[in-house]
Amino acid sequence: MIPFLDLKAINAQYRHDLIDAATRVIDSGWYIQGTELKAFESDFAAYCGAQHCIGVANGLDALTLTLRAWKELGKLKEGDEIIVPANTYIASILAITENRLQPVLVEPDEHTYNLCPTKTAAVITANTKAILAVHLYGQLAPMPELMALADEHGLLVLEDSAQAHGAAINGKKAGSWGHASGFSFYPGKNLGALGDAGAVTTNDDELATIIRALGNYGSQKKYENLYQGVNSRLDEMQAAMLRVKLQHLDTETQRRKEIALAYAKGITHPALSQPITAHSTLTSLENHVFHLYVIRTAEREALQTHLANTGVQTLIHYPIPPHQQQAYAKWNEQSCPLTEAMHQQVLSLPISPVMTDDQVDAVIAACNSFEMP
């Protein structure tokens, strides 16, 4: 079986460096908010082209704490509307509702799966205060257009960069476009820790200070609490692991792009729709780092069964859209036909920096040999 993602093999490449990093942390005797975290924050901020990086416990907290910090700054208040793509992973929505803000679900661009500036502009009201731009599957949302729209209407922009480490438009990377950006370092991400981890990047000094305090019990100075904060801190061990893996991110991303290009050229089955990239070309993939390689077909169940029978593991990202989840039962009657169709048709093929050329060829052959039911 060709695994969807072989995390053991990915991390085995750096086994000795990871062990050395873990040993360094263990021997230091300092496990929270120490030198490893400071070094990773500095390295990752520089990588993204941002002035600040604040390590937090996970990607959801990165989004939640940023919105909360804007509330503390008086830039948002309960009930304000936040525009977000309807087809995103539920974490994007959870961060909004946790802050008692109102998500405004927008149908995505049919081809890129990301926010469409025209559809976004159509739902802006006097209550709209922010855009949560999700870089779904690893492709940057159309940030030049969205930032122009935000500037025109005086809106905040929060990037959900959980799947887009290193993606760029005209050399400007995810994490440096919006007023702030939330990252996840969940183990399966392109830059994955060996546990849960996340971060916020921003160029706003005051925002960075407040987010850091909110994630540390609302405290900037021990035992003095300015806010009703939470415990959301990126620990020393995960920071050390991420420092090792950040050094190899661009190399791994290049391999993902090579595989994506092979899929794009090799999969010729007429019933399988492949990813379409914007702001780049197939020969110069800049804005898409292919966290996922997502195809679409009306015969998803049959295709997934066929691929499994030929030794190819696939996953569905995601089977149920947020507005149809029980957690948001009050939205269950809302109609988002394009989003609903996508969630019924999308299928993620294996894509991993440790895949061999033979495995890539096998996936292509399996897709092309699919017989329509």
Side-chain angles (χ1 to χ4, degrees), residues 113-150:
Y113 309 124
N114 280 328
L115 275 177
C116 166
T118 300
K119 293 178 182 178
T120 300
V123 299
I124 294 175
T125 71
N127 295 321
T128 306
K129 301 302 177 185
I131 298 171
L132 205 170
V134 181
H135 306 318
L136 198 64
Y137 305 149
Q139 179 169 199
L140 275 184
M143 294 310 295
E145 296 87 344
L146 291 175
M147 292 307 298
L149 188 63

Side-chain angles (χ1 to χ4, degrees), residues 267-336:
I267 297 174
T268 57
H269 197 297
L272 308 185
S273 298
Q274 297 198 59
I276 294 177
T277 62
H279 291 286
S280 79
T281 67
L282 282 177
T283 56
S284 178
L285 292 172
E286 180 189 38
N287 75 317
H288 205 322
V289 294
F290 292 98
H291 170 60
L292 300 172
Y293 193 93
V294 180
I295 61 175
R296 285 178 64 187
T297 177
E299 302 296 338
R300 180 176 69 189
E301 183 176 351
L303 174 62
Q304 188 171 38
T305 299
H306 165 76
L307 292 176
N309 289 339
T310 55
V312 177
Q313 182 185 28
T314 59
L315 294 178
I316 298 172
H317 297 88
Y318 304 96
I320 305 173
H323 72 279
Q324 292 185 331
Q325 297 283 357
Q326 183 177 341
Y328 292 112
K330 63 182 179 180
W331 299 343
N332 286 173
E333 300 304 315
Q334 185 170 340
S335 176
C336 297

Side-chain angles (χ1 to χ4, degrees), residues 133-359:
V134 181
H135 306 318
L136 198 64
Y137 305 149
Q139 179 169 199
L140 275 184
M143 294 310 295
E145 296 87 344
L146 291 175
M147 292 307 298
L149 188 63
D151 289 344
E152 179 183 350
H153 294 275
L155 306 179
L156 297 165
V157 176
L158 173 57
E159 298 174 70
D160 183 339
S161 301
Q163 301 183 359
H165 315 76
I169 296 175
N170 298 327
K172 188 175 176 67
K173 289 182 180 176
S176 64
W177 279 97
H179 300 100
S181 178
F183 285 88
S184 168
F185 305 120
Y186 180 78
K189 302 300 186 186
N190 289 24
L191 179 59
L194 273 68
D196 268 324
V200 178
T201 57
T202 183
N203 291 329
D204 186 327
D205 297 346
E206 188 175 20
L207 181 67
T209 298
I210 294 176
I211 292 172
R212 193 177 297 282
L214 286 171
N216 187 38
Y217 299 96
S219 174
Q220 294 176 355
K221 182 178 180 181
K222 195 169 185 177
Y223 302 129
E224 295 183 12
N225 304 84
L226 301 174
Y227 312 101
Q228 296 177 27
V230 298
N231 178 8
S232 181
R233 301 178 297 204
L234 176 57
D235 65 64
E236 287 290 281
M237 188 65 74
Q238 296 305 335
M241 301 296 104
L242 288 166
R243 288 183 67 194
V244 171
K245 297 188 70 177
L246 180 58
Q247 300 174 53
H248 305 282
L249 177 57
D250 286 345
T251 299
E252 290 196 356
T253 298
Q254 183 57 38
R255 178 57 180 160
R256 288 177 178 272
K257 292 180 179 181
E258 291 171 358
I259 295 168
L261 183 58
Y263 283 166
K265 291 181 176 179
I267 297 174
T268 57
H269 197 297
L272 308 185
S273 298
Q274 297 198 59
I276 294 177
T277 62
H279 291 286
S280 79
T281 67
L282 282 177
T283 56
S284 178
L285 292 172
E286 180 189 38
N287 75 317
H288 205 322
V289 294
F290 292 98
H291 170 60
L292 300 172
Y293 193 93
V294 180
I295 61 175
R296 285 178 64 187
T297 177
E299 302 296 338
R300 180 176 69 189
E301 183 176 351
L303 174 62
Q304 188 171 38
T305 299
H306 165 76
L307 292 176
N309 289 339
T310 55
V312 177
Q313 182 185 28
T314 59
L315 294 178
I316 298 172
H317 297 88
Y318 304 96
I320 305 173
H323 72 279
Q324 292 185 331
Q325 297 283 357
Q326 183 177 341
Y328 292 112
K330 63 182 179 180
W331 299 343
N332 286 173
E333 300 304 315
Q334 185 170 340
S335 176
C336 297
L338 178 55
T339 291
E340 291 156 19
M342 287 178 175
H343 284 255
Q344 292 167 5
Q345 296 174 354
V346 293
L347 187 67
S348 300
L349 299 180
I351 188 163
S352 156
V354 295
M355 284 183 71
T356 66
D357 289 343
D358 286 345
Q359 288 178 319

